[in-house]
Amino acid sequence: MPQEYQLPDRVYKYPFELIMLAYERRFPTCSMIPAFLGSETIHEYKSKDGAVHVIERRCKIDVEAPYLLKKVCGADHVFFIQKNSLNLRNRTLNIVATNETFSSRVKIKEECAYKPHPDNEEWTIFTQRATLNIISFFGIEAQVEKLGIKAYHKNIKKGKEIIIYYVNELESEGVVTAPRWSQPDNIDSDSDSDDSFASADDDTRMDDLTNDYKLDSDYITTHLGELNPMEECSIIQLAKRMKQTFDKIPDERVLLRFLRARNFDIEKTREMLIKSMAWRKQYNIDAHLDIWTPPPIIEKYLPGAWHRSDKDGRPVYILRLGHLDIKGMLRAVGEDALLRYALYICEQGIQKTNATAQISSWTLLIDLEGLNLRHLWAPARIAMRRFTEVMEQNYPETLGVVLIVQAPRLFPLAWTLVKSFINENTRRKCLVYGGNDYLEDDGIHSYIHREDIPDFLGGPSPCNIECNGLVPREDYTRSTEEVLAKEAGLQSLYKNCTIKKGEIHEVQVEADVDGVITWDFDCVLGELQFTVSQRIFAQPQCNSSLAGLVEMAGITYSTTPSPTDSYTDNIVEESTVCSYLEGDSVQGSFYVSKPGTYILSWGNVTPAASICSKSTFLYSIETIEPKDYAGSVSSLTSSFSNLSSAGSSWNTSSVASWNSMVSR
């Protein structure tokens, strides 16, 4: 399939005639292009009035390829035919170059044009595009294509430098201007040009080229930063493809972000961008900042705000995640409102970056002080997964760096539970600092000026982020059951259990050393006493022989515990008493230092004076295998780690079990 390349327009702030004098100095050889070994003129035509000069050259180019590839090809150099059509009357130079060597196997065509800048006739604009079509090449087509693209990009990068070099050389010789062509008095305007050589289609074809999608190289440098030729070409190709379908397309900053997210694959980027544009139209995202206002609950209890900029000029958003009551927030305003707020922040970020040249991303600083297992509530993880999917599909490459500070010992567990739905590009941008390591010389000062460090992290900069604690229960608009009912997967993950006075409900878990057992339950009715213990059997037992057991995925559920004379339960987690009157929600985890059978049990301890003697609760149990566990607690208390390389190591000497937490 032919590959097309179009480069951004180059602008020379010199008149066309002076640029032509500089251009001619490139021939017959050019020391600034080592691969250009020389050229010979094979055909030339000049009009009588001097307005038209057409010259055809045979150019010898060195093959920049490995020795073995040259041996396979049987050539150390190749020849190109370059046809230059200069029209001084119209002030245009059209250039067409095609390969002569291997022309039956490879088709290469380059078209370029010099002409006055449309906004300033004293400047010159240069446009360039090329096509490459490898039909067959000794079975090494892919290697040849890569080498061809690499060589092409290398040479075009020098193009502007070479012209400027010869302009400066002319100035050093005292040539700072060149007269425009004018009609000689004694010669009529030429009308008998050699049509067999100077094609009448040249101007038309080049007009099509110069009237194509425009992207100025100076604009790229100013607004997009330094890009290589392949990246510049990809932006133009994507824009042209999008304009075939849409009258209005996103600006180049957006195109570049989407291209980076898809590794500059034009077709994959186009597909992603079209879906995002449809999504923005469906939900009227372009007007989101104007038509949507965050609910008062979010404004009061979501501790986050924009705070100055980092050292690269990117705006910084701070989220004090450890102080966010995510469970209360979901029960008060729901997932949709939180997603709307996330979009609100993203749109603000785009607005801020658009106001600054060469800035297309922002920095996210996440403070994990206060992080606990309540933050790992399964519905919260489901919501975070959805938020992440929406952000990655519609706001790709908007995060420059993610600084995670004050990571507690719980963090490796939290990361294990959420990393699966965060893509590798985002994980590479995450830096984690445990304890006070963010204050070290290689801490967040590497990214944020010391005078801009927020005061709650020990810096001098006031940061007006209020941490107002848990969302009051009276602001809840939905029950835990209603939150779970929204997601079919959550309904299968959570179980509903009712036990009578004096009954005990047990969950039996077989766990390997270095694994982690996690639990989450809500007391819906009555009072419960929750205990975790390790069961030591007098002799080996077979699960299938125990009455009343139901086994699923290595976890056994029972409301009829086996006879106590066949085992001993050693309590490994202190008992927790919770009550529905207090709205108790319990999350906890246990690090397995000894393999074996562990029992999670709930007992009905509802007082006798209560109207209802039953206890009802919703619960979920998850186990994390050692191979799935990412990170090391000891590393978090000594240094920061890049999450893209977080391994499965676990330092058992630094680990203690995490206690259950009752949140009201």
Side-chain angles (χ1 to χ4, degrees):
M1 180 178 177
Q3 300 292 323
E4 181 179 335
Y5 306 92
Q6 181 170 339
L7 279 298
D9 296 346
R10 294 184 200 147
V11 176
Y12 300 96
K13 296 181 180 180
Y14 298 94
F16 173 80
E17 288 73 19
L18 186 63
I19 293 296
M20 291 301 98
L21 292 179
Y23 177 79
E24 282 301 317
R25 294 201 170 198
R26 295 178 52 174
F27 302 98
T29 61
C30 179
S31 61
M32 296 182 69
I33 309 179
F36 182 42
L37 302 179
S39 64
E40 60 174 324
T41 300
I42 58 176
H43 201 155
E44 186 172 9
Y45 163 80
K46 289 184 179 180
S47 63
K48 294 179 182 179
D49 59 6
V52 177
H53 183 194
V54 181
I55 185 169
E56 192 170 7
R57 297 183 176 96
R58 189 169 186 255
C59 303
K60 185 178 181 180
I61 309 296
D62 184 32
V63 177
E64 297 184 10
Y67 170 76
L68 288 177
L69 185 59
K70 288 184 178 182
K71 192 172 182 181
V72 171
C73 299
D76 289 327
H77 51 262
V78 295
F79 289 96
F80 277 76
I81 303 300
Q82 184 191 69
K83 178 182 173 183
N84 292 0
S85 302
L86 174 65
N87 189 322
L88 293 175
R89 182 184 296 106
N90 298 334
R91 302 182 76 199
T92 60
L93 171 63
N94 297 327
I95 306 167
V96 178
T98 56
N99 63 304
E100 180 184 73
T101 308
F102 302 122
S103 58
S104 63
R105 296 178 177 272
V106 180
K107 299 292 185 181
I108 301 173
K109 184 177 183 180
E110 182 184 47
E111 297 173 285
C112 308
Y114 288 90
K115 63 187 300 185
H117 194 285
D119 299 327
N120 187 338
E121 65 175 12
E122 294 302 314
W123 291 358
T124 305
I125 189 170
F126 172 74
T127 58
Q128 180 180 24
R129 72 181 177 194
T131 56
L132 171 64
N133 185 16
I134 301 179
I135 302 168
S136 66
F137 206 86
F138 310 109
I140 54 173
E141 291 80 8
Q143 293 91 326
V144 171
E145 182 177 357
K146 289 180 180 179
L147 285 171
I149 294 172
K150 182 179 179 181
Y152 183 64
H153 288 166
K154 182 179 179 180
N155 290 328
I156 61 176
K157 195 172 183 180
K158 292 182 178 180
K160 187 172 183 177
E161 299 174 8
I162 294 171
I163 293 296
I164 296 301
Y165 171 82
Y166 287 121
V167 167
N168 292 335
E169 188 176 78
L170 286 167
E171 289 180 346
S172 69
E173 298 171 3
V175 180
V176 295
T177 185
R180 293 191 185 184
W181 177 88
S182 59
Q183 179 69 39
D185 295 335
N186 58 341
I187 301 178
D188 294 334
S189 179
D190 215 10
S191 59
D192 58 346
S193 61
D194 185 359
D195 289 338
S196 64
F197 181 67
S199 172
D201 294 333
D202 281 351
D203 287 340
T204 303
R205 184 178 62 249
M206 290 306 170
D207 283 342
D208 291 340
L209 171 61
T210 55
N211 289 330
D212 213 334
Y213 177 81
K214 291 289 184 290
L215 186 60
D216 192 296
S217 58
D218 290 339
Y219 172 88
I220 290 178
T221 302
T222 302
H223 296 279
L224 304 180
E226 291 296 328
L227 302 178
N228 63 45
M230 184 275 291
E231 293 170 337
E232 296 175 347
C233 179
S234 297
I235 295 174
I236 296 173
Q237 285 181 283
L238 178 60
K240 289 170 63 177
R241 290 296 310 279
M242 295 297 294
K243 279 186 169 294
Q244 293 173 0
T245 309
F246 302 95
D247 293 330
K248 183 180 180 181
I249 64 173
D251 65 26
E252 288 78 16
R253 292 189 184 193
V254 177
L255 300 184
L256 181 59
R257 287 196 290 104
F258 276 79
L259 282 164
R260 284 172 170 162
R262 289 295 178 265
N263 295 318
F264 290 89
D265 185 302
I266 303 298
E267 287 307 313
K268 290 181 179 179
T269 304
R270 180 176 177 272
E271 180 182 352
M272 181 185 185
L273 188 55
I274 288 175
K275 289 180 179 178
S276 180
M277 290 171 65
W279 172 82
R280 294 185 69 88
K281 183 177 181 180
Q282 179 181 355
Y283 295 102
N284 198 16
I285 301 299
D286 289 344
H288 191 54
L289 292 177
D290 299 322
I291 65 176
W292 190 82
T293 302
I297 292 292
I298 291 181
E299 290 188 323
K300 183 174 182 179
Y301 293 101
L302 199 151
W306 293 99
H307 181 78
R308 303 198 177 184
S309 301
D310 67 8
K311 288 185 175 180
D312 292 326
R314 295 177 296 216
V316 176
Y317 185 81
I318 297 176
L319 176 62
R320 303 197 67 182
L321 183 60
H323 294 270
L324 171 63
D325 177 16
I326 184 61
K327 189 168 187 176
M329 196 71 73
L330 284 171
R331 292 186 62 179
V333 300
E335 180 183 316
D336 290 343
L338 286 175
L339 175 58
R340 285 280 181 182
Y341 185 73
L343 301 180
Y344 191 82
I345 297 302
C346 287
E347 289 298 308
Q348 285 183 331
I350 289 177
Q351 195 176 69
K352 290 176 178 291
T353 57
N354 285 346
T356 308
Q358 296 190 17
I359 300 296
S360 61
S361 61
W362 60 86
T363 292
L364 176 61
L365 192 156
I366 301 176
D367 175 27
L368 294 185
E369 180 190 41
L371 183 76
N372 54 57
L373 288 159
R374 184 178 176 88
H375 293 89
L376 304 183
W377 188 40
R381 301 202 313 263
I382 295 294
M384 182 179 177
R385 182 185 68 196
R386 286 179 174 162
F387 298 170
T388 303
E389 289 174 352
V390 171
M391 301 307 140
E392 291 178 348
Q393 291 167 4
N394 301 287
Y395 299 93
E397 299 299 315
T398 53
L399 279 179
V401 65
V402 181
L403 304 173
I404 302 174
V405 300
Q406 303 196 93
R409 295 176 66 169
L410 173 66
F411 178 77
L413 174 63
W415 180 247
T416 298
L417 293 174
V418 302
K419 69 174 182 178
S420 62
F421 50 79
I422 301 175
N423 69 31
E424 179 63 21
N425 284 341
T426 303
R427 292 204 296 267
R428 279 198 295 265
K429 298 174 183 178
C430 296
L431 294 172
V432 183
Y433 300 86
N436 293 322
D437 288 344
Y438 66 89
L439 296 173
E440 301 296 331
D441 291 338
D442 58 352
I444 60 174
H445 307 107
S446 302
Y447 300 90
I448 300 176
H449 292 289
R450 291 183 182 273
E451 60 268 23
D452 292 331
I453 302 294
D455 49 11
F456 69 86
L457 292 178
S461 181
C463 184
N464 299 319
I465 297 179
E466 295 183 2
C467 298
N468 293 318
L470 300 179
V471 177
R473 289 184 64 200
E474 54 266 26
D475 290 324
Y476 288 0
T477 60
R478 63 210 75 197
S479 65
T480 299
E481 294 95 321
E482 290 172 326
V483 175
L484 298 178
K486 184 178 180 180
E487 178 65 43
L490 289 175
Q491 295 180 49
S492 61
L493 182 61
Y494 279 79
K495 297 184 180 299
N496 190 317
C497 182
T498 299
I499 53 178
K500 300 177 183 178
K501 179 71 174 178
E503 282 188 337
I504 296 176
H505 180 76
E506 289 186 352
V507 176
Q508 179 176 307
V509 181
E510 300 297 329
D512 292 328
V513 66
D514 291 342
V516 176
I517 305 170
T518 68
W519 55 86
D520 173 21
F521 66 92
D522 281 25
C523 187
V524 179
L525 182 65
E527 293 188 16
L528 296 168
Q529 180 171 304
F530 174 72
T531 306
V532 181
S533 57
Q534 183 176 18
R535 179 158 293 176
I536 309 298
F537 292 97
Q539 56 184 1
Q541 299 289 321
C542 177
N543 286 342
S544 60
S545 67
L546 301 178
L549 298 186
V550 178
E551 185 173 0
M552 295 177 62
I555 301 177
T556 305
Y557 305 89
S558 171
T559 54
T560 311
S562 55
T564 57
D565 58 358
S566 63
Y567 61 82
T568 301
D569 284 345
N570 296 330
I571 295 177
V572 295
E573 181 83 10
E574 292 296 329
S575 297
T576 300
V577 176
C578 54
S579 169
Y580 86 100
L581 293 174
E582 301 294 339
D584 284 344
S585 176
V586 179
Q587 295 80 37
S589 63
F590 179 78
Y591 166 72
V592 179
S593 58
K594 297 179 181 179
T597 302
Y598 288 85
I599 304 298
L600 286 70
S601 62
W602 291 262
N604 184 340
V605 293
T606 303
S610 298
I611 298 176
C612 181
S613 61
K614 296 181 180 180
S615 290
T616 300
F617 59 101
L618 292 165
Y619 73 93
S620 174
I621 307 296
E622 294 181 76
T623 59
I624 303 176
E625 299 296 326
K627 63 181 178 62
D628 298 325
Y629 196 85
S632 166
V633 166
S634 60
S635 69
L636 289 177
T637 59
S638 59
S639 64
F640 68 87
S641 60
N642 188 304
L643 294 183
S644 65
S645 59
S648 58
S649 61
W650 179 263
N651 190 329
T652 57
S653 64
S654 65
V655 177
S657 64
W658 292 300
N659 294 326
S660 299
M661 183 201 70
V662 180
S663 52
R664 294 182 171 87

